[in-house]
Amino acid sequence: MQTDGGSKRKRPKKKGNRFMRNAKGFAKQGIFGRGTHIDDEQFSYFINILDAMKVGFEDVEERVNMANNVFEQTQDQEIHLASNQIVSKALETLVGFVDDVQLERYFSKFGDNLRPLCSDRFASHVLQKMLEIAFLRGVGKSALQETSEGSTPNKRAKPDAAQVEEEYNLETDFSEDHREKCRQFVLRISKFMLNNLEDFVWDTCASHIMRTAILSLVGMHVPKIAFEKGGTEMAKHRKLYSVPDEWQEVMKEFPQRLEMWPQFSDFPYQEHSSSLLGVICLALSVADKSMLKHFGKKILTIALLKPKEDDEEKKDLDTDTKIEIKDEDDEEVKEPEEGDEKKEAEPILPKVFHHQSSVILLETILSVAGAKLLTQLYAMLFCNRIAYLAQQQGTNFSIQRLLQHIKEVSDFEAVFTELQPHVEGLLKMGYTGVVSALSAACLRLGTKQAQMIAALQSALHVSGDKEKSKQFFNCLVKLKPFEVAGSDDSGFVHLHGSLITQHVLQFNKPIFLVNCILDLPATQLAQVFNTPNGSHIVDAFMQSKFIGEKSRERLIRQLDGFYVDLAITRHGSRVFEECFKASQEAQKLRMAKELFAKANMLKGSPHGRIIYTKYRLDTYKLSPSQWQESLSKHLDAEEPKEAKRKTPKTAAEAFKDILTRV
């Protein structure tokens, strides 16, 4: 499988503080940022502003005051200054905190010069950010949609800058007149983009503004923050807002116009147009699922199913062909080589799998497609190619996305049949994410679970032997075969090994794996559970519907003597809390006694101190029975607070798996 130019998937570069260092370095040479020219005094002013923003502010009011002061300094020079590299960074970062007068002034100035600004490599960032802020102020906090399908918030919160900015624009009491002007600005920019599609589809700068406009029209907010990570990290924090019906109607015109273009079949194979199609599919999944089905099918039949072009095939042949001078004897004896067999086995792939941009678009469509469109995508693109695609660096993510979203049991069973013989090969090649996605699909669809366990046993070389089979858990968490895992005494737990273990523990019949866990020495178990990846295995064990009470009690008793070691570490303390929650009253007393006996050791660790305080171990010595009674009331009172904290606030679940590499 080839990608564009034979390159691997690009990873975003970490900029860090290089931007500021480079800017100051060029200033010594008299170059005050790229783009339009600013003088030394202006450069010093804005570079100091950027330095101050990197340090941070104590409260929002300071940021608001700075934003208004900075924007005041740009009066009558808005366009000129916004087109400078240094100034655009400052304006982009502060525009979310300016008052209504300053923002409306920029609406007016930018609105009169939209065409050149959309293509300007610096001012376009300011315009894109203005569009986002106008959207937030226009819809207001009351428009935020809440749904029971929201995702559990990630431990790693989104960037503080994005959070503070979003809350400020949603919660500040702006006048209704200002909010209406913000809504008009969103609509104006969106319609301008729609009317100039021919010019902006392939434009590097304008295409980003167009994507923000499309998402805004359906009420989807993805924060754009200067100096902060974008892409996948930001995609996890999408929020949905209610928007006027008129906005969604404008958005629907984008796909309607694009699909009539003669160049439509080439869109997935160019970076910016491919990204645009992905954003449209994402927006349609919110605005109109029937149109998404039609648009997705159009992309599939017209663009994704295109055969690989002849010139590409010739290029491959030229690259692969070697000129050799052979003797006559060599020609007589010609045995097939391993490479030849592999080439014969390679399926003929449509063009979509030969370009990185089209593969990413395909993954986006898989993430939002309904059952019928998913079945069509599987039948036309993946059927009889699953195993090969899963073993390629550029396409194994597509197989993972298909497995995560496949809805028809019959389709999944066909995929499983293709992948089952290759589980060991996938693990050897390091494509463990495909195996993890396969086990997750078995759990989600409730099928092929016994076969999945058998495939894992075979791949890890623990089947057919009683002694070897006892090491199934140890091999599974490390994702190493018996021969290798047996000599590995480290506490390493593979991320996907942990996830697969969690999936298997929630299967309908996890008894084999449960027994493997319970047969392991407590020292080894504690070592596994005291790791970032291994600690979550306990969660699955305690919460599985198909693991009995006796098995849980046995695991909890097995860890007796190791609870102090667990409680004093970050990840082990989670394991302790999960075990304590699932314990019977008598076991809870034993656990408390064990901790209290080493109270000094417990209080010597920050995580241990939290456990010591939360479970009120200082009162245990006075009366264990009273401690037990008061603790149960104390923990019962805390539960509603935790539940409230974990309640999802957004409809992000529907989009959490979509990678916005667009």
Side-chain angles (χ1 to χ4, degrees), residues 235-306:
K236 293 177 182 176
H237 308 293
R238 283 197 182 97
K239 289 186 178 179
L240 268 180
Y241 295 84
S242 300
V243 293
D245 292 340
E246 181 189 0
W247 288 18
Q248 295 198 358
E249 293 305 314
V250 173
M251 182 268 143
K252 291 176 188 177
E253 288 191 47
F254 282 91
Q256 288 170 352
R257 291 192 186 185
L258 287 174
E259 67 181 25
M260 293 189 292
W261 285 21
Q263 307 99 316
F264 186 75
S265 62
D266 298 323
F267 280 5
Y269 308 103
Q270 299 177 37
E271 184 181 352
H272 298 299
S273 54
S274 173
S275 301
L276 179 62
L277 292 184
V279 166
I280 289 174
C281 289
L282 186 59
L284 286 175
S285 69
V286 175
D288 192 330
K289 285 185 168 54
S290 62
M291 185 177 282
L292 169 64
K293 178 184 172 185
H294 166 78
F295 191 65
K297 189 174 180 181
K298 188 105 177 178
I299 295 173
L300 170 64
T301 54
I302 292 181
L304 302 186
L305 281 173
K306 286 177 72 172

Side-chain angles (χ1 to χ4, degrees), residues 24-71:
K24 292 173 182 177
F26 281 117
K28 293 176 182 177
Q29 304 172 30
I31 303 170
F32 304 118
R34 297 174 182 174
T36 54
H37 176 74
I38 59 175
D39 58 38
D40 185 17
E41 186 179 342
Q42 287 175 319
F43 175 82
S44 299
Y45 175 77
F46 284 103
I47 210 74
N48 288 336
I49 293 297
L50 289 174
D51 280 331
M53 287 189 290
K54 288 292 254 182
V55 173
F57 301 90
E58 289 186 8
D59 52 38
V60 177
E61 193 174 339
E62 282 187 21
R63 190 180 285 261
V64 171
N65 289 334
M66 176 177 276
N68 288 324
N69 289 335
V70 170
F71 273 68

